[in-house]
């Protein structure tokens, strides 16, 4: 069975930077990644590379930022007022991830620098601007259920869980 729209795919991957550092690995976690093909569940460059392949296939692909998490934008580095956020300097330290409500909806930002009255945050995705090198092994390909196709995500082990 080939990977195409409305198939649920399980695969193992190891993600490395151009410098050879392992950034993420489903193999280390022990559970494969499960996604619904054709529903924007995973980054476009990886989804494109998986299309047409079958269970048992192994391959490597280098995905450029424009097909992954986008280019880094300096405009996404911002200085925010602690008072407006309802936070105190002692609650924050560089490297922390904050979930903020913005005019564009919820956003995840990384704390860069904490001052007495302000905090500098970076709203760029941590992997923005990076080439992502995937080493992939396809474990399983199956038809999506009607419910999965309707929800635009996979259910079951490794998939989306509903309460
Ligand atoms: Zn669902």
């Amino acid at each position: 069975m080939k990977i195409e729209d409305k198939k649920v795919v399980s695969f193992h991957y190891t993600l490395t930077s151009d410098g050879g550092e392992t950034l993420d690995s489903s193999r280390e976690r022990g559970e494969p990644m499960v996604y619904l093909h054709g529903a924007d569940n995973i980054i476009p460059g990886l989804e494109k590379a998986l299309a047409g392949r079958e269970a048992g296939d192994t391959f490597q692909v280098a995905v450029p930022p424009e097909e992954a998490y986008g280019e880094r934008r300096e405009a996404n580095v911002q200085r925010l007022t602690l008072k407006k956020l309802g936070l105190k300097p002692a609650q924050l330290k560089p490297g922390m991830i904050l979930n903020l409500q913005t005019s564009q909806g919820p956003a995840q930002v990384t704390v860069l620098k904490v001052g007495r009255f302000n905090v500098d945050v970076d709203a760029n995705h941590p992997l923005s601007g990076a080439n992502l090198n995937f080493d992939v092994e396809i474990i399983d390909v199956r038809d999506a259920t009607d419910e999965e196709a309707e929800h635009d995500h996979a259910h079951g082990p490794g998939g989306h869980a509903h309460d």
Side-chain angles (χ1 to χ4, degrees):
M1 186 179 284
K2 287 198 191 307
I3 296 175
E4 56 187 4
D5 288 0
K6 306 219 184 298
K7 301 292 183 199
V8 171
V9 183
S10 313
F11 67 99
H12 269 303
Y13 68 93
T14 300
L15 170 59
T16 51
S17 68
D18 279 351
E21 184 195 354
T22 300
L23 302 172
D24 190 15
S25 171
S26 66
R27 293 176 176 101
E28 277 173 22
R29 285 196 299 274
E31 295 297 326
M33 169 89 185
V34 181
Y35 81 101
L36 173 64
H37 194 83
D40 292 329
N41 288 176
I42 60 174
I43 59 169
L46 185 57
E47 187 164 49
K48 203 157 64 176
L50 281 153
R53 297 183 192 266
E54 301 177 294
D57 284 1
T58 58
F59 67 95
Q60 294 179 325
V61 60
V63 180
E66 61 269 26
E67 295 192 326
Y69 295 102
E71 297 291 351
R72 257 191 78 77
R73 293 173 52 217
E74 282 315 306
N76 286 341
V77 175
Q78 289 174 8
R79 177 160 291 180
L80 306 174
T81 309
L82 286 170
K83 200 172 175 184
K84 275 192 192 157
L85 296 172
L87 293 169
K88 297 195 162 62
Q91 293 173 281
L92 299 169
K93 61 176 186 234
M96 269 176 75
I97 307 289
L98 293 181
N99 290 295
L100 301 179
Q101 286 298 328
T102 72
S103 50
Q104 278 94 48
Q108 241 181 22
V109 304
T110 307
V111 173
L112 297 179
K113 206 174 113 195
V114 186
R116 279 178 69 190
F117 304 108
N118 301 299
V119 57
D120 292 348
V121 299
D122 185 350
N124 287 293
H125 189 281
L127 293 176
S128 65
N131 283 312
L132 303 181
N133 303 289
F134 289 93
D135 188 318
V136 175
E137 178 187 2
I138 301 167
I139 305 297
D140 185 56
V141 182
R142 65 168 170 86
D143 288 318
T145 64
D146 290 345
E147 196 183 41
E148 286 173 322
E150 196 180 307
H151 287 193
D152 277 339
H153 55 227
H155 293 159
H160 199 274
H162 292 285
D163 294 327

